[in-house]
Amino acid sequence: MGSGASKNSEDDDDGSNGGGGQLYVSLKMENSKVEGELTPHVYGSLSLIGSWDPSKALPMLRESASMSELSFVVPPDHETLDFKFLLKPKNRNTPCIVEEGENRLLIGGSLQGDARLALFRLEGDVIVEFRVFIKADRVSPFDLATSWRAYRENLQLSTVRGIPDVSINPDPKSVECPSESLELDLAHYEVPAPAPSANSSLVYAADNAENPRSLSASGTFLNDKTTNTAPNISEDSDDRVDGSPSAKEMTIIVPDSSNIYSASGEAESKAVGTLSPFQQKDGQKGLFVDRGVGSPRLVKSISASSFLVDTKLIKNSMPAAAGAVAAAAVADQMLGPKEDRHLAIVLVGLPARGKTFTAAKLTRYLRWLGHDTKHFNVGKYRRLKHGVNQSADFFRADNPEGVEARTEVAALAMEDMIAWMQEGGQVGIFDATNSTRVRRNMLMKMAEGKCKIIFLETLCNDERIIERNIRLKIQQSPDYSEETDFEAGVRDFRDRLANYERVYEPVEEGSYIKMIDMVSGNGGQIQVNNISGYLPGRIVFFLVNTHLTPRPILLTRHGESMDNVRGRIGGDSVISESGKLYAKKLASFVEKRLKSEKAASIWTSTLQRTNLTASSIVGFPKVQWRALDEINAGVCDGMTYEEVKKNMPEEYESRQKDKLRYRFPRGESYLDVIQRLEPVIVELERQRAPVVVISHQAVLRALYAYFADRPLKEIPQIEMPLHTIIEIQMGVSGVQEKRYKLMD
């Protein structure tokens, strides 16, 4: 193994007693052939002075042609060891030969007595001498962790070294799994998903959009001339079932833009490991980015003992992100126009073209990347103000009352979105037909100097897809919740669609993205005009790869590994007997669940515990992604959390305070993991066939948070148990989830 960064010879008695850290000891005894049967052996079960758990010494035994070595770690409060060397018969079950003389004492890294020789008495009173070497050094927890990781890698070579980021059909070392299959129906293994989670039933995407910002106490719209006798209800009322107010329950206040929240002055920043906004320092502005807990902290003001931060700018356009997203946000803040710090994606298109689905998916993607994003659906505003029983005549262009009502709610939603942006929101998704130049000009006028507008037009010429969307609309939209005749609802919606088609004007003004026949996933076109900047570019790239084809995505952790058993962080260990059993059960599950899916694929990380878990699955291509590797624990790799707490208490406390942003020394944070997973997410969106992802806890937490639209701050706490499969169903109805627990 070697003795760490040892600087002492066997004659040095003082070097091992200085400094902090733990004592790393290496005992070596020269190997030589003794009558062809005996070899020297450093006895590992040392008799230790004091109440110390020997398992924490991390003993490491190595033998070579010339030397036997036992390396171990001694805690600072137990530095005295009492032991003897043994001579072990090589090929016989006879007792070991104990070293002559008194027990040896190892005190503070120095071997007492004659340290150079070990004497053994053989049969016939033959005395054999062996030279003994000892090296001891105080090492930091960082060096200790590195030594432990190097030992484990040398002891147990990985079966997946030297592979590219993605490789097709690798042939890892096979696992000898017990004979085990799933005899029962898959439904027998289904377990409820923990709340909150992805939807387990069909949900209309617009229902998840933002509610109007405020409600009047009198039950009427501000400046509303109509009478409303609906009961007053606060946002915290228990009378709502799904969290969305109905027309009978709520009314809306149009916010006064002159009263929009505007923070001023200075406040103390207590955040650790976050992106800090512009900071006032000696009359100058500067952007300070803390790149993770454990990295250099924000610079303090010379004239104050606390950070001085403009709280208005805290909320402005700085995503909770790392890597490229953080760098782009800094560049946009420093160089971009003020209005470009806020981005409005304004949907354009006829009904039943997938606008709301696209808006919901884009919102989920941007939130996951760390951008504060909200989805404003004008149809939801309309239903709250005018009810759900509006016939197709309400949507005629020659109906002045209908035009005025629809324009009013569109303006109200736009005002809400702009007000939210001025309070710190970054990206607003404005979801409506916006089918005429007059409407779009109104929105551009309202946004002038406040946010940058990009129109996103969805065009579909596939009658089959349009027909499917119309029928889904009748099934799910609250507009037809009280319509008992399904076909009558379909006819009314077709009339509504015809009213929009008569006045529809394609987008030709401003910055825009046109998606033409993209929803099927079978090609199509995407056109862009006047699009620049990091975030608009990422949006275009994401939209190019999305579609509505239904398919399942199965997420599961690897089978239990030996490091799981030991409670160690990271590593590249093999799977345990329990893990081998799960590998067999998983193969049986995949065979049953995907038996008719010939184009399905299996994705794993490059670490051997995921590859060994997947090795029993046959009949599907296997793809290895380095992006799916477990979070990099840096110098803590191979340690237990108890060891981190004891040896690196400051790092342990920093992690407990903010697990999302905490970055392991020389390792990664959850935000770093999200950044490297973005290509995986985009590829999962692009895939049209089922995918089984076998990965690791932190990685699967991040992936699951994307599909379930969970806030970033919740990612480190998401439950991701071993030996459980999470099935994410992707399709036109959004995201639904099932869970299967195959074994404890």
Side-chain angles (χ1 to χ4, degrees):
M1 167 64 199
S3 58
S6 176
K7 61 179 182 294
N8 302 325
S9 69
E10 65 265 32
D11 296 322
D12 291 332
D13 293 331
D14 56 343
S16 61
N17 292 324
Q22 300 197 37
L23 195 64
Y24 184 95
V25 179
S26 172
L27 286 175
K28 298 182 181 180
M29 192 160 60
E30 205 172 45
N31 281 356
S32 64
K33 197 171 184 181
V34 182
E35 296 184 357
E37 294 182 340
L38 297 174
T39 58
H41 182 75
V42 184
Y43 184 46
S45 300
L46 300 172
S47 174
L48 305 173
I49 306 301
S51 56
W52 171 45
D53 181 2
S55 66
K56 294 183 179 178
L58 309 182
M60 313 170 193
L61 180 63
R62 292 182 63 197
E63 294 189 18
S64 65
S66 60
M67 196 77 64
S68 291
E69 175 186 353
L70 179 68
S71 302
F72 51 92
V73 177
V74 184
D77 55 343
H78 293 86
E79 294 189 357
T80 300
L81 305 182
D82 183 349
F83 68 98
K84 279 192 173 185
F85 291 117
L86 301 179
L87 198 61
K88 180 181 178 183
K90 189 172 184 181
N91 298 314
R92 292 185 296 169
N93 293 325
T94 55
C96 295
I97 301 172
V98 182
E99 179 186 8
E100 291 285 299
E102 299 295 327
N103 283 3
R104 291 180 179 270
L105 289 179
L106 182 69
I107 302 176
S110 297
L111 192 60
Q112 307 301 301
D114 188 352
R116 293 185 175 86
L117 293 177
L119 305 180
F120 298 91
R121 186 181 299 275
L122 306 182
E123 295 178 2
D125 291 333
V126 177
I127 301 295
V128 178
E129 297 181 352
F130 291 94
R131 294 189 65 193
V132 174
F133 304 88
I134 179 169
K135 290 185 179 181
D137 195 12
R138 292 193 182 275
V139 296
S140 70
F142 290 175
D143 292 332
L144 172 60
T146 302
S147 298
W148 175 246
R149 183 167 63 253
Y151 158 72
R152 284 158 20 92
E153 289 184 350
N154 290 330
L155 179 70
Q156 189 178 81
L157 294 177
S158 171
T159 60
V160 291
R161 296 293 183 200
I163 63 170
D165 286 342
V166 179
S167 58
I168 305 300
N169 284 325
D171 186 21
K173 191 175 184 179
S174 81
V175 181
E176 293 183 5
C177 297
S179 178
E180 185 70 26
S181 61
L182 301 178
E183 301 297 338
L184 300 174
D185 187 79
L186 297 185
H188 173 79
Y189 299 93
E190 190 171 342
V191 294
S197 66
N199 302 315
S200 58
S201 59
L202 298 179
V203 175
Y204 187 56
D207 288 343
N208 293 326
E210 289 301 301
N211 289 323
R213 290 172 59 84
S214 57
L215 307 169
S216 70
S218 61
T220 61
F221 282 90
L222 188 65
N223 299 326
D224 194 353
K225 298 179 182 179
T226 62
T227 301
N228 191 320
T229 58
N232 298 330
I233 186 167
S234 71
E235 289 198 27
D236 296 326
S237 170
D238 293 331
D239 292 340
R240 284 178 288 153
V241 176
D242 62 355
S244 301
S246 68
K248 295 180 180 179
E249 293 171 331
M250 293 186 173
T251 52
I252 308 165
I253 294 176
V254 180
D256 184 351
S257 60
S258 64
N259 294 327
I260 291 175
Y261 169 82
S262 177
S264 61
E266 296 172 341
E268 181 179 358
S269 172
K270 297 183 180 179
V272 180
T274 60
L275 288 176
S276 172
F278 289 96
Q279 183 181 24
Q280 299 288 345
K281 181 178 178 182
D282 300 333
Q284 296 182 352
K285 288 186 177 181
L287 192 64
F288 297 85
V289 180
D290 182 7
R291 292 165 292 184
V293 179
S295 302
R297 301 292 190 258
L298 299 175
V299 180
K300 288 189 176 182
S301 169
I302 295 175
S303 59
S305 60
S306 61
F307 295 115
L308 299 180
V309 180
D310 186 341
T311 55
K312 181 177 181 180
L313 290 174
I314 281 180
K315 298 182 178 182
N316 269 354
S317 305
M318 297 301 294
V325 171
V330 171
D332 289 346
Q333 281 276 22
M334 298 291 287
L335 304 175
K338 179 180 178 181
E339 60 268 22
D340 285 3
R341 297 174 189 172
H342 308 289
L343 181 62
I345 304 297
V346 177
L347 274 293
V348 177
L350 293 168
R353 264 55 175 185
K355 295 186 303 301
T356 297
F357 176 82
T358 301
K361 180 172 283 194
L362 185 57
T363 300
R364 179 159 46 89
Y365 170 71
L366 294 175
R367 283 175 179 166
W368 183 77
L369 283 182
H371 298 281
D372 189 5
T373 306
K374 286 190 175 182
H375 174 197
F376 295 82
N377 180 270
V378 175
K380 187 171 186 178
Y381 278 68
R382 168 180 54 77
R383 285 186 285 274
L384 290 173
K385 181 167 178 61
H386 300 289
V388 298
N389 295 319
Q390 301 298 331
S391 68
D393 289 341
F394 180 81
F395 301 92
R396 288 191 355 246
D398 57 355
N399 179 354
E401 292 82 5
V403 171
E404 181 181 1
R406 288 184 284 121
T407 301
E408 178 188 17
V409 292
L412 174 60
M414 190 67 176
E415 286 283 357
D416 276 3
M417 188 172 74
I418 292 173
W420 166 73
M421 286 180 173
Q422 292 183 339
E423 292 174 2
Q426 296 166 19
V427 184
I429 313 291
F430 189 81
D431 179 15
T433 56
N434 301 313
S435 54
T436 66
R437 292 190 185 92
V438 172
R439 166 70 68 82
R440 297 193 292 267
N441 287 338
M442 179 192 79
L443 299 177
M444 287 192 290
K445 185 68 174 177
M446 294 176 69
E448 204 169 76
K450 299 173 183 175
C451 65
K452 176 181 176 63
I453 282 185
I454 295 178
F455 293 112
L456 175 55
E457 186 175 16
T458 60
L459 301 171
C460 179
N461 300 306
D462 189 326
E463 292 297 331
R464 180 182 54 85
I465 293 177
I466 295 172
E467 179 65 23
R468 180 191 64 188
N469 290 348
I470 289 174
R471 293 189 170 275
L472 282 173
K473 189 90 169 179
I474 306 306
Q475 292 173 358
Q476 299 177 18
S477 173
D479 283 345
Y480 294 95
S481 60
E482 299 179 12
E483 176 58 70
T484 58
D485 187 338
F486 182 84
E487 293 302 326
V490 170
R491 288 192 297 272
D492 180 82
F493 189 83
R494 290 188 189 282
D495 291 341
R496 180 195 301 191
L497 180 56
N499 290 332
Y500 277 106
E501 287 175 335
R502 293 187 188 99
V503 296
Y504 187 81
E505 297 172 303
V507 174
E508 296 176 350
E509 66 274 18
S511 300
Y512 62 78
I513 304 167
K514 286 179 183 276
M515 297 176 63
I516 305 172
D517 293 328
M518 293 286 293
V519 294
S520 67
N522 293 319
Q525 301 178 37
I526 190 163
Q527 300 175 3
V528 297
N529 181 67
N530 195 25
I531 299 296
S532 62
Y534 175 82
L535 186 54
R538 298 310 301 168
I539 290 172
V540 171
F541 179 68
F542 177 74
L543 294 173
V544 166
N545 289 283
T546 60
H547 55 84
L548 301 179
T549 304
R551 75 278 189 197
I553 295 172
L554 306 179
L555 307 178
T556 183
R557 290 175 66 183
H558 54 80
E560 180 188 64
S561 70
M562 295 307 297
D563 277 341
N564 290 144
V565 175
R566 302 180 185 116
R568 299 202 173 276
I569 307 169
D572 191 18
S573 64
V574 297
I575 55 180
S576 67
E577 290 302 314
S578 179
K580 293 176 183 178
L581 178 60
Y582 177 68
K584 195 70 175 178
K585 287 178 174 284
L586 176 62
S588 180
F589 179 93
V590 171
E591 180 184 0
K592 286 188 174 185
R593 177 63 183 85
L594 303 180
K595 59 184 177 181
S596 61
E597 301 286 354
K598 302 303 181 185
S601 57
I602 314 298
W603 294 4
T604 70
S605 74
T606 66
L607 301 177
Q608 60 180 343
R609 55 190 182 272
T610 63
N611 285 270
L612 296 177
T613 302
S615 63
S616 295
I617 302 174
V618 296
F620 301 101
K622 295 171 185 174
V623 182
Q624 293 178 338
W625 288 71
R626 187 160 283 114
L628 290 174
D629 284 3
E630 179 61 297
I631 187 171
N632 183 354
V635 300
C636 299
D637 190 74
M639 302 177 73
T640 67
Y641 283 113
E642 283 301 314
E643 290 169 348
V644 175
K645 184 177 182 179
K646 181 177 180 180
N647 299 318
M648 294 180 274
E650 290 186 1
E651 292 296 330
Y652 183 85
E653 289 301 319
S654 294
R655 181 177 179 274
Q656 293 300 110
K657 290 177 181 178
D658 190 353
K659 290 184 179 180
L660 176 69
R661 293 170 177 80
Y662 171 78
R663 179 176 290 139
F664 286 100
R666 305 179 193 173
E668 290 181 304
S669 68
Y670 270 95
L671 292 179
D672 295 325
V673 171
I674 288 172
Q675 289 304 303
R676 66 168 157 97
L677 283 176
E678 186 190 10
V680 178
I681 287 295
V682 172
E683 186 59 26
L684 285 172
E685 288 286 358
R686 193 184 70 84
Q687 291 285 314
R688 302 181 71 246
V691 176
V692 180
V693 180
I694 305 174
S695 189
H696 310 268
Q697 179 167 249
V699 171
L700 291 176
R701 281 171 170 167
L703 290 177
Y704 176 80
Y706 168 77
F707 293 113
D709 198 15
R710 295 280 286 274
L712 290 180
K713 63 182 180 181
E714 295 182 8
I715 289 180
Q717 285 77 41
I718 291 176
E719 182 181 351
M720 198 58 58
L722 283 170
H723 305 159
T724 301
I725 299 167
I726 301 175
E727 179 178 327
I728 303 294
Q729 185 67 44
M730 307 265 293
V732 294
S733 301
V735 176
Q736 300 159 59
E737 173 190 342
K738 288 183 180 179
R739 292 198 177 203
Y740 302 90
K741 190 170 184 62
L742 302 190
M743 55 185 285
D744 294 326

